[in-house]
Amino acid sequence: MPTSRTVLVTGGNRGIGYAIAERMLADGHRVAVTSRSGEGPEGSLTVRAEMTDAASIDAAFTEVEAHLGPVEVIVANAGITKDTLLLRMTEEEFTSVIDTNLTGTFRVVKRAAKGLLKGRFGRVILISSVVGLYGGPGQINYSSSKAGLVGFARSLTRELGSRGITANVIAPGFVETDMTAALPEAQQQQYLGSIPAGRFGQVAEIAGAASFLAGDDAAYVSGAVIPVDGGLGMGH
Ligand SMILES: NC(=O)c1ccc[n+]([C@@H]2O[C@H](COP(=O)([O-])OP(=O)(O)OC[C@H]3O[C@@H](n4cnc5c(N)ncnc54)[C@H](OP(=O)(O)O)[C@@H]3O)[C@@H](O)[C@H]2O)c1
């Protein structure tokens, strides 16, 4: 069993975030999830938070701290897509994806940082995407937000690395969730053809990487981008 920590997963009411929360509970951690609607898995504490609103994130942290103690492991998972080609993309479609995925992560990690420094321990796990470094047509907004998380984790590692705090990125490939189910069938089949593993990923496979990064064995892993993508993005 790893050391038991207080873990907060954003967007833990469904998809990858829900699976990460389930895995963290199975690992013996105290787990809270943020949600706008719905609940995290049984055994977790669900708190309301909107990633575009710093005050709601602050209130969510305060509630988690009151019930479970200082947050030690942050999994910044909440994210959206608004796919469309550059020539059709509005500025709102660009900035709203950045605001949720990248600035939302900034709001969450900034709120967490003081507590991590005080406890001289922290694991910051950012859920990026294979398209952050690989690129994807129709995903200028999304891939920019996800590539930004790599610079974020590496700068954080340089700022706080000497204080027992690590910051890493998980870059999932195509994982079966609501987000990917929304893609046109033809696009899904096109992706499938380029994945060396010959299949899409499962949410539990992303949760496994998060479990490792939160656990005792990952104390010396920081600033890393861990692909969980069946080989889709290798070399990027
Ligand atoms: N699925 C994939 O293939 C894949 C691949 C690479 C990376 N990812 C990344 O993995 C993460 C999770 O993806 P998923 O497939 O599990 O997505 P999902 O099923 O669409 O779930 C997204 C989660 O983010 C939350 N969220 C979105 N916008 C939010 C906001 N403004 N404030 C608060 N919460 C917000 C959603 O809350 P609501 O339920 O309230 O909407 C939901 O809990 C995302 O960052 C995504 O970019 C996914």
Side-chain angles (χ1 to χ4, degrees):
M1 261 316 199
T3 311
S4 183
R5 304 286 183 191
T6 296
V7 180
L8 177 61
V9 183
T10 66
N13 54 304
R14 60 192 172 102
I16 291 172
Y18 189 95
I20 291 174
E22 271 186 321
R23 176 61 192 263
M24 295 290 181
L25 285 165
D27 287 347
H29 299 301
R30 299 171 293 280
V31 179
V33 306
T34 76
S35 167
R36 296 185 298 187
S37 57
E39 304 289 313
E42 200 184 332
S44 65
L45 170 72
T46 301
V47 294
R48 300 288 159 211
E50 162 57 55
M51 290 304 115
T52 59
D53 176 7
S56 83
I57 291 169
D58 180 38
F61 267 84
T62 303
E63 194 179 338
V64 174
E65 287 159 354
H67 287 91
L68 304 180
V71 176
E72 299 167 288
V73 178
I74 321 297
V75 184
N77 163 79
I80 55 167
T81 52
K82 285 191 185 172
D83 293 359
T84 189
L85 295 170
L86 174 64
L87 291 181
R88 289 198 201 119
M89 191 177 286
T90 63
E91 187 167 326
E92 193 280 330
E93 284 167 334
F94 185 82
T95 55
S96 62
V97 170
I98 300 287
D99 194 26
T100 300
N101 298 1
L102 184 56
T103 317
T105 297
F106 165 77
R107 294 182 186 104
V108 167
V109 175
K110 182 166 168 145
R111 174 57 179 82
K114 263 193 204 151
L116 303 183
L117 283 165
K118 208 168 159 202
R120 298 192 71 81
F121 177 88
R123 297 289 168 83
V124 176
I125 302 168
L126 309 183
I127 307 299
S128 175
S129 165
V130 64
V131 304
L133 299 178
Y134 192 71
Q139 297 198 302
I140 297 251
N141 48 4
Y142 181 74
S143 62
S144 300
S145 73
K146 295 301 188 179
L149 295 178
V150 176
F152 190 118
R154 290 182 169 168
S155 295
L156 192 64
T157 291
R158 292 194 191 281
E159 281 193 30
L160 304 183
S162 64
R163 316 288 188 89
I165 297 168
T166 68
N168 291 288
V169 168
I170 296 175
F174 191 114
V175 182
E176 286 179 21
T177 67
D178 297 344
M179 183 176 273
T180 44
L183 290 172
E185 181 62 26
Q187 203 175 335
Q188 293 195 25
Q189 288 310 315
Q190 202 183 337
Y191 273 124
L192 192 56
S194 52
I195 300 167
R199 65 173 178 85
F200 298 139
Q202 301 299 313
V203 290
E205 294 174 309
I206 311 306
S211 164
F212 165 69
L213 289 173
D216 297 334
D217 287 342
Y220 204 54
V221 178
S222 200
V225 179
I226 301 192
V228 187
D229 63 2
L232 175 62
M234 59 187 167
H236 292 274

